[in-house]
């Protein structure tokens, strides 16, 4: 109730809610259950993403369980000493595609205790384009590899337009890009024609939403005005693309 109240206060209609990381398979499943109960309070507004960790040898059946029992709309994965192009990861992607559920991947420098940023470069995600009908997003514009992220988006678009891929790549523009880099990265995305695939994100926790969301959104809107972003593009980034990612 407190979270929904904070959303209402800050003009947030819907939000993606991620289950937390678990140190082992049992903890991972417990986190999925706990967050599943949370999103069940308002499933039309809270879109759950269940965290899946390949290092735990998570059974594929866990993905079905999260979607069917707890109504998760998608999944979250962070390359944690594994590469997204590995077969053990692609099997999860194929199951997600079969469930019609997208996946949000971390991409870029990883602020995580495993010190595994080297696994998170966007080029490693090219293999996902071979997964039929798979929707995925790379978070943080892959900072500092934002140009590489842009190039991969171009490859995904060319592959789909060329008829040799049915996957859809979205770009989560959640900050990770420092202010000095962010405007330039967003301009490049827009000039490259990515506005139909850019999704705003905040990285807020349950405890920081009310305190920091207004400040973050104020800065974001000021940046969009400075960039002279069109109302149509802004609407796609803040709302329409989010819905397409989850329901396309």
């Amino acid at each position: 109730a407190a979270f929904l109240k904070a959303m209402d206060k800050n003009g947030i209609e819907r939000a993606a809610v991620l289950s937390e990381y678990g140190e082992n398979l049992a903890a991972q499943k417990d986190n999925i259950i706990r967050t599943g109960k949370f999103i069940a309070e308002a499933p039309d507004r809270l879109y759950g993403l269940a965290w899946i960790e390949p290092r735990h040898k998570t059974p594929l059946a866990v993905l079905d369980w999260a979607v069917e029992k707890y109504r998760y709309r998608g999944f979250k994965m962070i390359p944690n000493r594994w590469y997204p192009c590995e077969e053990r990861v692609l099997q999860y992607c194929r199951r997600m595609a079969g469930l019609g559920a997208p996946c949000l991947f971390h991409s870029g420098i990883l602020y995580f205790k495993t010190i595994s940023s080297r696994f998170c470069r966007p080029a490693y995600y090219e293999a996902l384009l071979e997964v039929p009908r798979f929707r995925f997003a790379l978070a943080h514009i892959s900072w500092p590899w934002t140009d590489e992220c842009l190039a991969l988006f171009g490859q995904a678009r060319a592959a789909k337009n060329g008829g040799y891929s049915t996957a859809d790549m979205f770009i989560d523009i959640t900050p990770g890009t420092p202010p000095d880099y962010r405007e330039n990265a967003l301009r490049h995305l827009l000039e490259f024609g990515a506005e139909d695939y850019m999704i705003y994100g905040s990285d807020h926790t349950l405890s920081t939403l009310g305190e920091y969301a207004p400040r973050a959104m104020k800065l974001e809107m000021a940046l969009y005005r400075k960039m002279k972003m069109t109302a149509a593009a802004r609407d796609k980034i803040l709302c329409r693309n989010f819905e397409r990612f989850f329901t396309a």
Side-chain angles (χ1 to χ4, degrees), residues 7 11-16 44-47 73 239 242-243:
M7 287 174 61
I12 301 171
E13 184 178 348
R14 296 181 179 87
D44 58 329
R45 300 188 65 188
L46 305 178
Y47 290 11
R73 292 178 179 258
C239 178
F242 176 91
E243 291 293 342

Side-chain angles (χ1 to χ4, degrees), residues 175-193:
T177 42
D180 286 349
Y181 289 82
R182 186 167 181 76
E183 179 179 349
N184 193 45
L186 294 182
R187 286 189 186 280
H188 284 167
L189 287 171
L190 291 171
E191 290 172 3
F192 200 52

Side-chain angles (χ1 to χ4, degrees), residues 114-132:
T114 56
I115 314 297
S116 52
S117 296
R118 64 189 181 278
F119 298 97
C120 299
R121 292 197 61 153
Y124 293 128
Y125 289 96
E126 185 179 29
L128 305 188
L129 302 181
E130 296 181 313
V131 179

Side-chain angles (χ1 to χ4, degrees), residues 6 18 20 27 80 91 99 103 105 133 135 144 183 198 224:
L18 284 57
E20 294 182 302
N80 179 8
Q91 67 172 341
L99 290 167
C103 187
F105 289 93
R133 299 175 301 282
R135 298 192 309 282
E183 179 179 349
M198 298 163 63
Y224 293 175

Side-chain angles (χ1 to χ4, degrees), residues 61-77:
V62 169
L63 279 66
D64 302 69
W65 168 74
V67 170
E68 295 167 4
K69 183 169 184 178
Y70 291 100
R71 300 177 65 182
Y72 276 87
R73 292 178 179 258
F75 299 91
K76 166 73 174 182
M77 297 181 78

Side-chain angles (χ1 to χ4, degrees), residues 23-239:
E23 294 292 344
N24 52 54
L25 181 57
Q28 175 183 298
K29 292 178 71 175
D30 285 344
N31 289 340
I32 291 174
I33 292 171
R34 187 172 71 252
T35 303
K37 293 178 179 178
F38 182 85
I39 62 176
E41 294 297 318
D44 58 329
R45 300 188 65 188
L46 305 178
Y47 290 11
L49 295 176
W51 195 322
I52 300 298
E53 174 54 73
R55 294 177 72 213
H56 297 339
K57 298 182 180 179
T58 305
L60 291 175
V62 169
L63 279 66
D64 302 69
W65 168 74
V67 170
E68 295 167 4
K69 183 169 184 178
Y70 291 100
R71 300 177 65 182
Y72 276 87
R73 292 178 179 258
F75 299 91
K76 166 73 174 182
M77 297 181 78
I78 292 183
N80 179 8
R81 299 188 182 278
W82 49 261
Y83 292 98
C85 53
E86 295 177 23
E87 174 56 31
R88 61 171 170 165
V89 178
L90 294 176
Q91 67 172 341
Y92 292 115
C93 298
R94 288 190 285 268
R95 180 60 64 91
M96 292 173 192
L99 290 167
C103 187
L104 171 63
F105 289 93
H106 177 86
S107 182
I109 290 293
L110 178 59
Y111 295 173
F112 201 57
K113 59 186 177 183
T114 56
I115 314 297
S116 52
S117 296
R118 64 189 181 278
F119 298 97
C120 299
R121 292 197 61 153
Y124 293 128
Y125 289 96
E126 185 179 29
L128 305 188
L129 302 181
E130 296 181 313
V131 179
R133 299 175 301 282
F134 185 43
R135 298 192 309 282
F136 67 96
L138 301 191
H140 311 295
I141 324 177
S142 305
W143 183 78
W145 301 298
T146 54
D147 288 344
E148 190 171 303
C149 180
L150 184 69
L152 179 61
F153 171 77
Q155 161 70 322
R157 180 173 56 190
K160 189 167 186 180
N161 291 342
Y164 51 94
S165 173
T166 54
D168 274 316
M169 173 184 166
F170 288 75
I171 300 172
D172 176 339
I173 64 171
T174 298
T177 42
D180 286 349
Y181 289 82
R182 186 167 181 76
E183 179 179 349
N184 193 45
L186 294 182
R187 286 189 186 280
H188 284 167
L189 287 171
L190 291 171
E191 290 172 3
F192 200 52
E195 70 177 53
D196 288 333
Y197 293 90
M198 298 163 63
I199 302 174
Y200 174 76
S202 67
D203 249 6
H204 289 302
T205 65
L206 299 183
S207 61
T208 64
L209 177 66
E211 181 179 358
Y212 295 109
R215 185 190 316 168
M217 186 55 70
K218 183 177 180 180
L219 291 172
E220 191 77 358
M221 293 301 96
L223 176 58
Y224 293 175
R225 287 192 296 272
K226 180 182 178 183
M227 295 172 60
K228 295 182 171 56
M229 187 183 294
T230 67
R234 186 173 64 246
D235 186 54
K236 291 176 183 178
I237 292 169
L238 296 177
C239 178

